[in-house]
Amino acid sequence: MKKIPDEILNCLNNNQRFLILLHQKPDGDAIGSAVALGKGLKQLNKTVDYYIDLPLEDKLVFFDEIQCFNQSLQDSYDVIVILDCSSSSFAFAPVEMPVAKTKLVIDHHKSNAHYGDLNFVEITGATAEIVFRILRGLHVELDEEMADAIFTGISTDTGSFQFSNVTVDTHAIASELYAIKTNYAHLSKRLHTQKNIDQMKMTGAAIHSLEILDSMPIAMMILDHDAIIKFGGTINITDDVANLGQNTIGVSITALLKEIDPGEYRVSLRAKYPYDIHEIALKYGGGGHERAAGFNFSGDINQLKRDLMDVYENQDGES
Ligand SMILES: [Mn+2]
C-alpha cells in the first residue's frame, strides 16, 4: 500500500477550517469518503462543513454525521476538499463558492483532470481506500461509524468486491476495518440486497417479463407503465434491475425498457465484452459507455429487438 505524500498530509494537518464537496448525485463512495474524512478532521479539532447534493439514496441514510450536512457555510475556508469527483464541472458546489487558500482534490478516477491546487489521484477501487490511508497517515483513530463509512465506499464502488477494480489493497483495508467492528453483514445487505416491498415487486415484474430473443444471448425486460405505477413509480426501479438480465447464464446483451409514460420508454442497455451497445444508444439519441448505455424510445419494439440482434450478429466472433 503506497504512502500518502507528505504535502497532502501536511495540508490537512496544518490547516484549521475545511469544507468538503463531492460529485453531483453522490454515491456510496462519495458519502462514505466524506463522512470518514470529515469525522477524522473533527477528531483533530478542525472545523468541517459539508455542502452535499441531497436527498441521498435511502440505503445511505444511516450515518449520524449526515445531520451535519449543509449547515450554514462560512465565507472562507483554509481548504476546500473535493472527493471522488473527476472534474470541477461535475462537483456539487455552492453558487457563491467560498474562498479558500487551497483546493485539494482526492480521487480515484483515471480521467481526473487534476483541477485542484493540490491533487492526490490514484487508481484504486474506491476513493474511500485513499481516505482510509490518509486517516492512518494522520494517526486518526477510526470509530465504528467511520469504519462503516469506509466499508460503504469500498463495497458500493466494487459491487460488493465483485468488480475488476478490487486489488490486494482493497482487501487489506477491508481486513483492517474488522479490527474496528467485527461484522459488516448487516451493512452489506443494506447496501446491496435489501429493497422495500415496492422495489421487490418492481424487480419481480421485470424478471417476470424477461425474454430471450430468438435463441440469441440477448435478454429483454419490459416494465410497462401499469407496473411502474402499481409499484410506486420509477423511483422504485433500483440500479440493479438492468443487471438481472445480464446475470442470466448465457446472456451477453440486456435491454431493460421502462415505460415512463404510455408508449414512451427509457431504455437501459448492458453488454459483456466484446459487445458494444454504445452505437445503438447513439442511433436513438442517447449515450453512455461501450458496456452500459441508455436512451429514450417511443418507436416499434420489434425494430429495437432487430437492432439488438444485429449487434450480436455483426460483432459475434470479433474481439
Ligand atoms: Mn468512487
Side-chain angles (χ1 to χ4, degrees):
M1 207 178 298
K2 274 198 293 182
K3 207 179 156 298
I4 301 291
D6 283 340
E7 61 172 354
I8 305 297
L9 297 180
N10 290 341
C11 174
L12 296 166
N13 256 325
N14 300 339
N15 285 291
Q16 187 55 38
R17 298 174 309 129
F18 292 85
L19 173 64
I20 294 180
L21 304 181
L22 306 173
H23 61 77
Q24 298 161 23
K25 294 190 168 55
D27 59 5
D29 187 28
I31 295 298
S33 296
V35 167
L37 183 65
K39 289 192 70 172
L41 291 170
K42 287 179 181 178
Q43 196 185 105
L44 300 172
N45 294 315
K46 316 289 187 186
T47 63
V48 178
D49 288 337
Y50 303 89
Y51 188 76
I52 312 260
D53 191 2
L54 301 176
L56 304 181
E57 294 173 77
D58 283 350
K59 69 182 182 185
L60 299 176
V61 184
F62 66 93
F63 296 109
D64 289 340
E65 188 69 4
I66 286 173
Q67 291 163 20
C68 303
F69 287 5
N70 298 1
Q71 292 174 343
S72 58
L73 295 188
Q74 309 297 314
D75 295 331
S76 74
Y77 291 90
D78 295 330
V79 183
I80 296 179
V81 188
I82 308 174
L83 297 168
D84 196 41
C85 180
S86 58
S87 72
S88 65
S89 61
F90 192 40
F92 183 76
V95 180
E96 300 251 333
M97 188 76 150
V99 293
K101 284 191 294 184
T102 307
K103 194 159 82 174
L104 170 62
V105 170
I106 298 169
D107 188 29
H108 70 133
H109 292 98
K110 193 177 177 182
S111 60
N112 189 289
H114 292 251
Y115 55 95
D117 305 310
L118 258 182
N119 303 277
F120 185 68
V121 179
E122 194 181 301
I123 312 305
T124 55
T127 297
E129 291 185 25
I130 301 172
V131 169
F132 177 88
R133 288 157 52 197
I134 288 172
L135 295 175
R136 280 284 190 254
L138 295 172
H139 306 291
V140 165
E141 198 171 314
L142 275 75
D143 65 18
E144 291 198 359
E145 177 160 287
M146 292 156 81
D148 277 346
I150 299 290
F151 188 93
T152 295
I154 293 174
S155 180
T156 53
D157 259 26
T158 62
S160 198
F161 302 89
Q162 291 182 48
F163 296 163
S164 56
N165 59 1
V166 171
T167 66
V168 64
D169 281 356
T170 313
H171 283 289
I173 291 167
S175 83
E176 290 197 39
L177 297 179
Y178 281 79
I180 300 156
K181 213 186 100 168
T182 54
N183 199 313
Y184 293 86
H186 178 78
L187 178 56
S188 281
K189 287 188 189 113
R190 177 183 181 103
L191 295 173
H192 297 286
T193 313
Q194 289 177 337
K195 301 174 194 291
N196 67 40
I197 186 67
D198 281 334
Q199 291 169 335
M200 279 293 174
K201 296 281 188 185
M202 190 80 82
T203 304
I207 294 173
H208 187 74
S209 76
L210 179 69
E211 136 182 51
I212 300 295
L213 302 189
D214 206 16
S215 305
M216 292 185 187
I218 306 171
M220 182 174 277
M221 294 184 287
I222 301 180
L223 279 168
D224 62 38
H225 191 61
D226 288 348
I228 292 174
I229 296 301
K230 189 173 170 190
F231 302 126
T234 52
I235 194 157
N236 284 326
I237 305 173
T238 48
D239 307 335
D240 63 320
V241 174
N243 298 329
L244 290 168
Q246 290 298 87
N247 291 349
T248 311
I249 290 173
V251 169
S252 295
I253 298 169
T254 294
L256 168 65
L257 280 66
K258 296 168 272 193
E259 194 180 12
I260 46 181
D261 282 307
E264 300 281 333
Y265 296 89
R266 176 76 199 158
V267 180
S268 298
L269 298 178
R270 298 286 184 273
K272 287 177 191 154
Y273 180 85
Y275 299 104
D276 179 353
I277 35 69
H278 173 244
E279 295 290 325
I280 300 187
L282 286 181
K283 172 180 162 181
Y284 287 106
H289 310 280
E290 289 179 350
R291 317 278 178 243
F295 56 94
N296 293 315
F297 178 79
S298 55
D300 174 7
I301 291 178
N302 286 322
Q303 180 57 48
L304 179 58
K305 289 180 176 177
R306 190 65 253 157
D307 288 341
L308 290 167
M309 291 191 279
D310 285 348
V311 168
Y312 170 67
E313 285 173 339
N314 295 335
Q315 297 182 9
D316 193 35
E318 294 176 18
S319 60

